[in-house]
Amino acid sequence: MRRQKKFYAWGYADEDLTPDEIRPWETGIARRYGLSGFDVTPPPRAEEITLRPSRVVVPSALQPIVRTDHLTRLEHAYGKAWFDACRMFLRSVPNPPDAVAFPDNEQDIVRILAWCDQIGAKAIPYGGGSSVVKGIEPAAEFEKVVTISMRHMDKVLEVDPVSHAARIEGGVYGPHIEDQLRETPFTMRHYMQAYRCSTLGGWIATRSGGHYATLTTHIDDFVESMRVVTPVGTLETRRLPGSGAGPSPDRMFIGSEGILGIITEAWVRLRKKPTFRAATSVRFEDFYAGADAVRGITQAGLYPANCRLLEAREALPDIPWDNKEAVLMLTFESADHPLEAWMARALEICRDSGGVPDAAALDDENSHRTGAAGAWRNKFIRAPHYSEHAVARGLLSSTFETSMTWERFRDFHAKITRITHDTIRQVTGREGTVTCRFTHVYPDGPCLYFTFGGILDKPVMLDQFMAVLTTCTAATVEHGGTTTHHHAVGRFHRPFYDRQRPELFARALRGAKRELDPKGMMNPGVLIDP
């Protein structure tokens, strides 16, 4: 029996935050913004939302794998961003898919695409539905839409124990990959906040970023080869550890966001499950001192698995909001060798920047789950569940991420922080909050992940939220950063992506789309216009 996901927010229908989680969160928000209480809108029930009738008639041959019922269409209408939950709470879903297909194999996908071609429908590939950038949302101008959910194609098909790789179907959710690898010595170990409700094919299509803060930061680093079903045929790339034979065909599909075809399976690199681990946290006087240490660690080639620098007030419980300290979550892991030397050198670099390590954590083999690191880890995993509760209370609460090289980092960070503060004040008429953390770090620069908050006016909260997010995202590109480091482009980032990528590249990408999708049926409006 399939576990039903919430149609209106993150997670599953049978789970939610506990009162013991909600109460301190509400208390902290009220204290931070000087509120006496909250007007809480109840979450929507499926029957409260009216959907337009489906505009397609499913042929009898496809009826076993295509559904048009109310709840299925509702579940596949939006992603899981704040603005998606907000529209659900407003009971507003004007452009749902007309049908949702659930192929069991590649031949089913071929049949579904042929049907879409015949009836003039747009096809939207769908993994786990965790998009936060409107990547799976039907546009208003689409006359007919068939969403193609890959969740039935969810198997680890083959494991190569010599080369440490596996052939895996694209529709498998993250936890199910590890379940199927449990009897092997291997792990894929590509975790992210959306891990439970996202798929391998979705990770590849959106160039997802995983939990590794250095070295293997993106799904690109895991993919050996793949199979893709396009409207004009099926393509399979050759499985190799590397190749200098022209532009990589894999790279054309990694990050293609469903505009060229549907990723049905891939060979991905595995690693042995780690048996050695060294972890601690390090406190710094401020964020910039911590950034200097992180730069030193990345440029020393130590390659920690976790090297996340956070403002202490964001990361740790009971930290006053005016506290300027930063905390670094630092972890090394290996399946081959002890890590004391790597940790010792990293802490030397931290001390050179005034960092103070948590000595007790170094002696605790479970320190990555306890102490400061454990507190932040638990908060991070639970964070997506708070979004619907923020929407219900009219709270501005979201994130945007970008990246910048080290020599421009301080100026860039200061500008984006100031712009975000100013924008919240101008849009809402109130002071807001802004924090920053590093999620991934490289020898030449960090990924900056900004979290912002404030109080919205409920009658216009969606407009206010979009004004803040749009202005801040535009600023990242205007000042030389990327519009997204690992959240994909989708329809939300599209205007900013247009400014970032060279126009000649866009023309080349349009050429590829014309060859693989000549009628422009595959997820139009994402990345480029057909």
Side-chain angles (χ1 to χ4, degrees), residues 61-188:
L62 291 178
Q63 286 178 6
I65 59 171
V66 178
R67 295 173 58 177
T68 59
D69 63 278
H70 182 84
L71 184 58
T72 299
R73 294 173 64 209
L74 195 55
E75 182 183 338
H76 292 81
Y78 290 143
K80 300 303 179 188
W82 189 100
F83 48 72
D84 296 316
C86 183
R87 289 180 291 174
M88 283 293 189
F89 270 74
L90 293 171
R91 282 67 172 168
S92 175
V93 186
N95 301 304
D98 295 287
V100 182
F102 299 92
D104 292 316
N105 50 54
E106 286 187 357
Q107 188 55 43
D108 283 347
I109 296 173
V110 172
R111 295 163 58 213
I112 293 162
L113 292 181
W115 175 51
C116 290
D117 184 17
Q118 178 186 356
I119 65 174
K122 306 305 181 185
I124 299 181
Y126 186 100
S130 61
S131 172
V132 292
V133 294
K134 300 188 178 183
I136 54 174
E137 177 182 327
E141 63 268 23
F142 296 173
E143 293 182 1
K144 299 173 184 174
V145 181
V146 176
T147 292
I148 303 174
S149 170
M150 295 294 290
R151 73 185 187 206
H152 290 175
M153 298 179 67
D154 64 350
K155 296 176 180 59
V156 174
L157 300 171
E158 187 176 353
V159 175
D160 176 350
V162 178
S163 299
H164 293 193
R167 183 166 65 97
I168 305 176
E169 290 185 306
V172 63
Y173 279 48
H176 196 37
I177 294 175
E178 298 300 330
D179 288 344
Q180 294 178 80
L181 293 175
R182 190 154 315 215
E183 300 306 314
T184 78
F186 302 112
T187 174
M188 185 176 173

Side-chain angles (χ1 to χ4, degrees), residues 42-345:
R45 300 188 305 275
E47 61 270 22
E48 293 179 311
I49 300 176
T50 301
L51 301 182
R52 67 184 174 204
S54 174
R55 298 167 295 184
V56 303
V57 177
V58 182
S60 57
L62 291 178
Q63 286 178 6
I65 59 171
V66 178
R67 295 173 58 177
T68 59
D69 63 278
H70 182 84
L71 184 58
T72 299
R73 294 173 64 209
L74 195 55
E75 182 183 338
H76 292 81
Y78 290 143
K80 300 303 179 188
W82 189 100
F83 48 72
D84 296 316
C86 183
R87 289 180 291 174
M88 283 293 189
F89 270 74
L90 293 171
R91 282 67 172 168
S92 175
V93 186
N95 301 304
D98 295 287
V100 182
F102 299 92
D104 292 316
N105 50 54
E106 286 187 357
Q107 188 55 43
D108 283 347
I109 296 173
V110 172
R111 295 163 58 213
I112 293 162
L113 292 181
W115 175 51
C116 290
D117 184 17
Q118 178 186 356
I119 65 174
K122 306 305 181 185
I124 299 181
Y126 186 100
S130 61
S131 172
V132 292
V133 294
K134 300 188 178 183
I136 54 174
E137 177 182 327
E141 63 268 23
F142 296 173
E143 293 182 1
K144 299 173 184 174
V145 181
V146 176
T147 292
I148 303 174
S149 170
M150 295 294 290
R151 73 185 187 206
H152 290 175
M153 298 179 67
D154 64 350
K155 296 176 180 59
V156 174
L157 300 171
E158 187 176 353
V159 175
D160 176 350
V162 178
S163 299
H164 293 193
R167 183 166 65 97
I168 305 176
E169 290 185 306
V172 63
Y173 279 48
H176 196 37
I177 294 175
E178 298 300 330
D179 288 344
Q180 294 178 80
L181 293 175
R182 190 154 315 215
E183 300 306 314
T184 78
F186 302 112
T187 174
M188 185 176 173
R189 209 161 179 77
H190 186 66
Y191 304 136
M192 74 294 295
Q193 201 170 45
Y195 170 73
R196 288 195 312 138
C197 297
S198 57
T199 66
L200 174 63
W203 300 343
I204 295 171
T206 61
R207 292 193 67 198
S208 73
H211 86 295
Y212 285 111
T214 65
L215 203 59
T216 50
T217 59
H218 279 76
I219 193 66
D220 313 39
D221 304 310
F222 292 81
V223 175
E224 275 190 338
S225 69
M226 67 178 77
R227 283 179 63 86
V228 184
V229 175
T230 79
V232 296
T234 299
L235 176 151
E236 183 172 8
T237 66
R238 182 168 295 190
R239 184 188 166 213
L240 294 166
S243 173
S248 166
D250 290 320
R251 294 280 173 165
M252 187 168 75
F253 292 98
I254 297 172
S256 60
E257 302 194 24
I259 72 167
L260 303 177
I262 297 176
I263 298 163
T264 59
E265 65 179 61
W267 274 98
V268 297
R269 297 176 178 93
L270 305 178
R271 63 188 63 209
K272 289 198 171 175
K273 296 167 185 172
T275 52
F276 298 92
R277 183 178 284 107
T280 191
S281 61
V282 186
R283 296 286 280 268
F284 293 90
E285 181 180 2
D286 59 31
F287 195 70
Y288 293 135
D292 287 342
V294 169
R295 179 170 62 85
I297 291 170
T298 61
Q299 293 177 347
L302 296 172
Y303 301 124
N306 192 5
C307 191
R308 283 171 169 77
L309 180 70
L310 308 99
E311 295 187 41
R313 57 188 173 177
E314 176 184 334
L316 304 177
D318 304 320
I319 298 291
W321 199 252
D322 59 359
N323 184 292
K324 300 299 182 184
E325 289 181 288
V327 60
L328 174 64
M329 308 300 177
L330 186 62
T331 304
F332 292 88
E333 59 180 31
S334 172
D336 179 74
H337 53 265
L339 298 155
E340 285 77 9
W342 281 260
M343 178 61 80
R345 178 61 188 130

Side-chain angles (χ1 to χ4, degrees), residues 287-288 311 399-404 408-424 433-437 447-452 468-483:
F287 195 70
Y288 293 135
E311 295 187 41
T399 63
F400 60 95
E401 30 82 51
T402 183
S403 66
M404 180 48 64
R408 296 179 58 192
F409 152 68
R410 286 193 181 217
D411 179 64
F412 181 79
H413 171 269
K415 283 179 178 176
I416 300 302
T417 299
R418 184 180 67 251
I419 288 168
T420 306
H421 271 298
D422 291 347
T423 302
I424 294 171
T433 56
V434 185
T435 58
C436 184
R437 65 181 185 263
C447 165
L448 296 89
Y449 199 107
F450 289 90
T451 298
F452 59 92
V468 173
L469 183 62
T470 299
T471 300
C472 295
T473 304
T476 64
V477 176
E478 179 184 345
H479 292 282
T482 174
T483 185

Side-chain angles (χ1 to χ4, degrees), residues 372-389:
W376 177 79
R377 177 182 178 274
N378 293 336
K379 181 179 179 180
F380 175 76
I381 290 172
R382 298 294 281 169
H385 294 281
Y386 286 90
S387 184
E388 65 177 278
H389 296 280

Side-chain angles (χ1 to χ4, degrees), residues 282 284 293 343-344 346-357 362:
V282 186
F284 293 90
M343 178 61 80
L347 293 182
E348 284 181 349
I349 294 171
C350 289
R351 291 189 183 98
D352 288 343
S353 295
V356 179
L362 289 170

